Amino acid sequence: MSGSIAMNGGDGPNSYSKNSKYQQEGLSIAKDLLIDSIQEKLTIPDSDLGIFRIADLGCSVGPNTFTCVQAILQAVKTKFIKTQNCNSKVPEFQVFFNDHVDNDFNTLFKNLPLEREYMAAGVPGSFCGRLFPKASMNLINSTFALHWLTKIPEELTKEDSPAWNKGSVTCIGGRNEVFEAFRAQFLRDANSFFGARSLELVKNGVLVVLLPSRPDGSQPSKDPSTNGLNYVGRVLYDMAKEGLVRESLIDSFNLPIYIPTSSDLREVISNNQNLSIEISEKILFPRKIMTREESQVGSLHIRAVTESILCKHFGSEIIDEFFRRFADKSSCKPRANDSSLLSKTVRSKLQYSCLPPSYKVYVNLLQIFLIDIVFN
């Protein structure tokens, strides 16, 4: 599987715009840190900038992209106003909204805030390649997007391969070769992503990346995000037993998602001479589906982000029945919260060799990296 992946468009009950609560919660938790970090790390030029260019990569259809852009814009304006350099006037703002070519840009632009303080433009295409001219962007943001892979490694769908992922549709639950194939693809994609951004950002530009992640040293099978997605495979195989889906179709299907660790990103960033992580912050972000109602909300969220992928592979005829069963299977009894996950903030300094803020959110843990871009 490869090519364009898009969240459900429109404003209907199964749309991403109506079912992106989890991303909204993660962004809400990160918002203050995002603003403070931009104000701390953004370098204001000595001369009049004129235009300050911002890009949001993986914007989908809103409304979260608009909330994030507004927070960024306010942080930048505040930094300009507070600067002691009398020559630095608040510039005009231009915002580029990027997502795959199949994204519903019509809904995105229909929902643009009427009172916005920026000029808006759409940029279709994969953010794992170049999107903008060299040294043209002042700040680039990507929220809940980088964990999506550009393609499924071919070895996962070949019966004679050690990494054949029969019996599972995610990177866990199978052989170690399966997990390593997913990880290798993520590293390739992330390397392309950061490489492109290091060329597109101006000197002292800022990059913000917020994505689901796992703590270093954790077992992939313990990751709540991927475990939740495992219900996709379980429901599909249940339907195969009843003759509703061909098992061979399931064996050739994998969800193009990999939840990375901090070390995964550090490995990529350390390979780029223009990138450096300066600050790391962690905040707990507990999320468990605990009631029937919450399970239904979770099912709608999964539908909003995976329906287009499932339709392409299995056809649209099974979708309603699949998600009805998904909601039933994913519901569980209430569980007490782990007392070790009480909210706290951890701040540490990470020194690497040289780019902008990279924000990373865990489903159970929010981790934020600040990175600056420096050309030697």
Side-chain angles (χ1 to χ4, degrees), residues 179 183 186-187 212-220 222-223 258-268 277 280 282 348 350 352 360 362 364-367 369:
F179 174 79
R183 181 176 183 272
F186 171 82
L187 294 178
S213 184
R214 296 182 290 112
D216 285 335
S218 64
Q219 292 295 321
K222 303 297 183 182
D223 174 60
Y258 174 81
I259 307 299
T261 64
S262 301
S263 295
D264 290 331
L265 290 181
R266 288 173 181 150
E267 179 178 334
V268 174
I277 302 172
S280 173
K282 298 179 181 180
S348 62
L350 300 177
Y352 282 83
K360 201 161 63 125
Y362 290 58
N364 280 341
L365 192 65
L366 174 66
Q367 180 160 334
F369 287 135

Side-chain angles (χ1 to χ4, degrees), residues 67-82:
T67 301
C68 191
V69 165
Q70 185 60 31
I72 291 170
L73 189 145
Q74 289 301 322
V76 173
K77 284 182 61 178
T78 300
K79 183 62 181 277
F80 269 92
I81 292 171
K82 288 183 177 180

Side-chain angles (χ1 to χ4, degrees), residues 4-16:
S4 178
I5 297 173
M7 308 296 101
N8 278 359
D11 292 314
N14 297 322
S15 66
Y16 183 81

Side-chain angles (χ1 to χ4, degrees), residues 100-141:
H100 285 287
V101 295
D102 287 340
N103 184 59
D104 184 1
F105 283 99
N106 286 334
T107 293
L108 173 76
F109 288 115
K110 183 179 69 175
N111 292 329
L112 275 170
L114 296 178
E115 303 299 323
R116 63 186 181 275
E117 302 175 84
Y118 53 85
M119 309 299 177
V123 181
S126 171
F127 56 47
C128 285
R130 287 283 303 280
L131 295 167
F132 307 103
K134 289 183 178 180
S136 63
M137 305 304 298
N138 302 99
L139 191 150
I140 297 178
N141 171 74

Side-chain angles (χ1 to χ4, degrees), residues 139-206:
L139 191 150
I140 297 178
N141 171 74
S142 181
T143 302
F144 288 99
L146 191 56
H147 59 293
W148 286 92
L149 305 180
T150 58
K151 66 177 183 178
I152 292 296
E154 291 183 6
E155 58 266 35
L156 296 177
T157 59
K158 294 182 178 179
E159 293 187 28
D160 59 349
S161 168
W164 187 33
N165 201 22
K166 180 178 174 60
S168 178
V169 300
T170 68
C171 65
I172 64 174
R175 306 170 184 174
N176 185 60
E177 290 86 352
V178 171
F179 174 79
E180 291 301 328
F182 271 93
R183 181 176 183 272
Q185 184 62 50
F186 171 82
L187 294 178
R188 287 191 290 269
D189 291 346
N191 185 65
S192 297
F193 174 88
F194 285 108
R197 306 295 83 78
S198 68
L199 295 174
E200 296 165 347
L201 283 160
V202 300
K203 183 178 180 180
N204 296 319
V206 174

